[in-house]
Amino acid sequence: MDKLRKEYEAQMQHYLNGNKISKLMVVVGIAFMIIGFMNRNETGRMMLFFVLTIGSCVVGVLVGQKRKSAFSTYVGQTVTRGVMEQYFQVDEFIMHGETPLDEIRTAELFWNYNRIIGSRVIRGKLKGTAFQCSNVTLDETTGTANKNTRVFSGQYVFVNLQTPVKGTIRILDRENPVRTLVQGCHPVKMTSVLEFDELFEVSATDEAGARAFLTEERRKALLELKRLIREKGGEEKAQLNLMIKGKKIYAALGSGVFLFHRQTELHSIEDIIGYNSLDADYVKKAVSLLMR
């Protein structure tokens, strides 16, 4: 821990020094601009100082961005990934630039969106079972003013099943305003776990297959997962929507928060580990409940 703390503090200091250089270059640029303005009667000299102004500002911005990117990458790939690996096997951790578009469309859990934002893609295994988890926001952008309506915010989790299900099963949270049926699916009424029927609507292409898959234990696990999502997001209307096709579960965990997304530069290494531990534990519990 002492070694990690020293390394983290050194990386943070490097980042903060970059901020100082960045601000200094901007100040220098402003000084060049003032000098250029004072020499406005001499076109050549004025243009020289304006070029120096632009150059100084650009250098300052680039230095700041580069140092910030390097620090963010260090925290993600060293600290955050290290915390994750205490909870589950991490095969790949992508911080930026990848959203599981095909899987989101395949899940068929939301339709009224035309803008997707995603980050922090985790591919790994828990007890030998492969899974993927990523932060996802779905928005519906309408009108000439590009007004955004939030459709979903939370995590999309995909878990591979050991045995494929018969047919297609969709479990829709009653908080989800969308009521369009998946082609070929028909409503399935479950019994015994009454709270489950109050919170979810089940439809399937094969009613017997759906009943065989949704054992009482599985339904109780899904109720527990919805409570876990509510605790994480602190929202009464937190959602859990699922689609089960073949050997894969597609689950949309509407926690309303992004995981592993805390601002890092203002916190100690202990705080960062603490935040990441809570998020990693949440992922582990969610995947465990989906695996039951």
Side-chain angles (χ1 to χ4, degrees):
M1 183 63 184
D2 289 339
K3 181 180 179 181
L4 181 60
R5 184 187 294 107
K6 289 179 181 177
E7 186 181 65
Y8 175 82
E9 290 175 352
Q11 290 286 340
M12 182 165 63
Q13 191 59 52
H14 188 63
Y15 163 63
L16 294 175
N17 289 340
N19 275 352
K20 292 177 182 178
I21 294 171
S22 179
K23 291 175 182 177
L24 178 61
M25 293 304 295
V26 171
V27 170
V28 170
I30 293 172
F32 282 142
M33 182 177 66
I34 293 171
I35 295 172
F37 183 76
M38 292 173 64
N39 288 271
R40 60 186 179 278
N41 294 327
E42 299 181 41
T43 305
R45 184 173 292 183
M46 182 183 70
M47 291 302 297
L48 172 63
F49 281 108
F50 280 165
V51 169
L52 290 173
T53 296
I54 295 171
S56 298
C57 291
V58 169
V59 169
V61 170
L62 291 177
V63 168
Q65 289 180 342
K66 184 177 180 181
R67 293 287 179 89
K68 183 175 183 178
S69 177
F71 182 60
S72 177
T73 299
Y74 161 76
V75 173
Q77 297 301 330
T78 302
V79 182
T80 301
R81 182 165 182 158
V83 171
M84 287 182 194
E85 289 174 343
Q86 297 179 35
Y87 291 84
F88 46 79
Q89 179 182 325
V90 181
D91 295 332
E92 188 175 21
F93 177 44
I94 303 171
M95 296 178 61
H96 306 287
E98 181 169 319
T99 303
L101 298 177
D102 290 341
E103 289 92 340
I104 289 174
R105 295 189 183 104
T106 300
E108 297 184 87
L109 293 171
F110 299 94
W111 293 265
N112 54 329
Y113 65 88
N114 51 21
R115 181 169 178 262
I116 302 175
I117 301 172
S119 69
R120 307 299 196 269
V121 180
I122 306 162
R123 296 188 180 97
K125 294 182 182 68
L126 180 62
K127 297 179 181 178
T129 298
F131 75 90
Q132 177 175 303
C133 175
S134 57
N135 294 321
V136 173
T137 293
L138 306 177
D139 289 335
E140 183 178 20
T141 303
T142 57
T144 55
N146 288 331
K147 181 180 179 181
N148 289 332
T149 300
R150 183 58 42 86
V151 175
F152 172 83
S153 179
Q155 288 70 48
Y156 262 70
V157 179
F158 313 125
V159 177
N160 291 343
L161 295 167
Q162 297 296 326
T163 305
V165 300
K166 190 175 181 181
T168 295
I169 306 169
R170 187 181 72 166
I171 304 169
L172 197 64
D173 198 306
R174 292 187 185 274
E175 297 288 353
N176 188 333
V178 178
R179 285 291 172 269
T180 305
L181 283 173
V182 174
Q183 187 174 7
C185 284
H186 304 283
V188 178
K189 181 70 175 178
M190 308 302 295
T191 57
S192 292
V193 186
L194 296 179
E195 187 183 356
F196 183 88
D197 289 336
E198 293 172 359
L199 296 177
F200 300 101
E201 292 179 1
V202 179
S203 59
T205 56
D206 187 293
E207 185 172 342
R211 292 185 185 281
F213 178 78
L214 287 171
T215 61
E216 188 165 319
E217 180 183 359
R218 273 205 175 101
R219 281 176 281 159
K220 288 180 178 178
L222 294 179
L223 289 172
E224 189 176 341
L225 178 53
K226 175 151 184 176
R227 285 191 283 270
L228 180 70
I229 296 169
R230 280 179 171 168
E231 289 173 3
K232 188 64 178 177
E235 298 181 8
E236 280 299 313
K237 293 187 177 181
Q239 291 186 30
L240 170 61
N241 298 281
L242 303 97
M243 180 73 78
I244 301 97
K245 294 182 178 182
K247 295 188 69 173
K248 182 166 282 189
I249 296 177
Y250 303 87
L253 282 57
S255 61
V257 298
F258 268 19
L259 305 180
F260 310 107
H261 239 272
R262 297 275 185 166
Q263 291 295 319
T264 53
E265 62 268 21
L266 300 180
H267 298 291
S268 67
I269 184 65
E270 288 82 6
D271 288 338
I272 297 301
I273 290 175
Y275 295 144
N276 288 332
S277 295
L278 292 173
D279 289 347
D281 184 57
Y282 174 72
V283 173
K284 178 183 177 180
K285 287 178 179 177
V287 173
S288 297
L289 290 168
L290 289 170
M291 285 168 48
R292 282 192 189 175

